[in-house]
Amino acid sequence: MLPPVLLASTSPYRAERLASLNLPFDQSKPDMDETPLPGETPFDLALRLAQGKARSLAKAYPSHLIIGSDQTAADYQGVLLDKPGSVARAVDQLSRCSGTSLTFYSGVALAGFSDDAWVVTTEVVFRDLTREEIERYIEKESPLDCAGSFKVEALGITLFQSVRSDDPNALIGLPLISLASKLRQVGYALP
């Protein structure tokens, strides 16, 4: 019998993505300092956080397959973008992104029954945005808890010119194509 699955996240976005696999799972909040290390790249940060979140729950849930995930974003200059936390910072982030591209790094890690970790990248190209469009978007969606200051699963998609990724779910925070593949490899029955 396969172990139960635990999502090491309280994110409703990640839970919704994982639920779409029709696989029963529980959720628990990981205990992880998400502060970037000096000189750490956005790719390395996403991978480290995903692994750390999964591993932080391994002792408390020794009989589970634990899925950890985290996402980082970097602008075209490689500068890490975080969750804005305020309207002013969200306006600033989206203004800087206007007409440029961002790269999102979605890290996933398995711990417990199986250990593995990987990162899926997604490139987002923003269309040229006016300040009024940015302010209107932020007022309607309040994306203050989202890296890059937008929610792609809702109105945020209207900010883009294009999205390039091997997995469209990665931008929402949990790359399901690669995760489903890994879960099948260790014996979970998925279509």
Side-chain angles (χ1 to χ4, degrees):
M1 186 159 118
L2 291 168
V5 174
L6 179 73
L7 178 61
S9 172
T10 56
S11 164
Y13 312 117
R14 287 192 181 96
E16 183 179 332
R17 294 289 81 219
L18 186 56
S20 71
L21 293 180
N22 211 16
L23 182 73
F25 67 95
D26 293 312
Q27 283 182 267
S28 184
K29 183 178 175 133
D31 183 20
M32 176 84 191
D33 178 2
E34 297 187 26
T35 306
L37 300 175
E40 191 171 36
T41 67
F43 179 100
D44 291 338
L45 176 61
L47 187 62
R48 179 177 64 83
L49 292 178
Q51 290 174 313
K53 287 179 176 184
R55 290 175 183 159
S56 76
L57 296 173
K59 283 186 182 180
Y61 297 91
S63 64
H64 284 68
L65 172 66
I66 304 168
I67 301 170
S69 183
D70 208 305
Q71 185 178 68
T72 61
D75 67 15
Y76 67 97
Q77 296 173 324
V79 176
L80 184 68
L81 297 178
D82 55 5
K83 297 173 184 176
S86 72
V87 170
R89 288 196 67 219
V91 168
D92 179 60
Q93 276 191 356
L94 289 174
S95 296
R96 286 186 291 127
C97 292
S98 176
T100 67
S101 64
L102 291 184
T103 302
F104 282 80
Y105 302 93
S106 301
V108 184
L110 303 179
F113 173 70
S114 177
D115 289 306
D116 203 351
W118 64 97
V119 174
V120 175
T121 60
T122 303
E123 182 187 15
V124 173
V125 179
F126 282 81
R127 61 184 180 78
D128 291 323
L129 304 170
T130 66
R131 179 152 182 121
E132 293 77 23
E133 288 174 316
I134 291 169
E135 290 173 350
R136 189 169 50 246
Y137 168 71
I138 292 169
E139 180 182 328
K140 288 182 180 187
E141 192 130 82
S142 191
L144 307 183
D145 64 340
C146 299
S149 302
F150 66 85
K151 296 179 182 179
V152 71
E153 65 277 11
L155 286 174
I157 199 73
T158 66
L159 306 175
F160 306 146
Q161 180 177 314
S162 65
V163 177
R164 294 182 199 100
S165 180
D166 290 337
D167 187 337
N169 295 285
L171 195 52
I172 302 173
L174 190 62
L176 292 184
I177 293 173
S178 58
L179 178 59
S181 175
K182 299 286 184 180
L183 291 171
R184 280 192 301 276
Q185 287 173 15
V186 296
Y188 288 86
L190 298 173

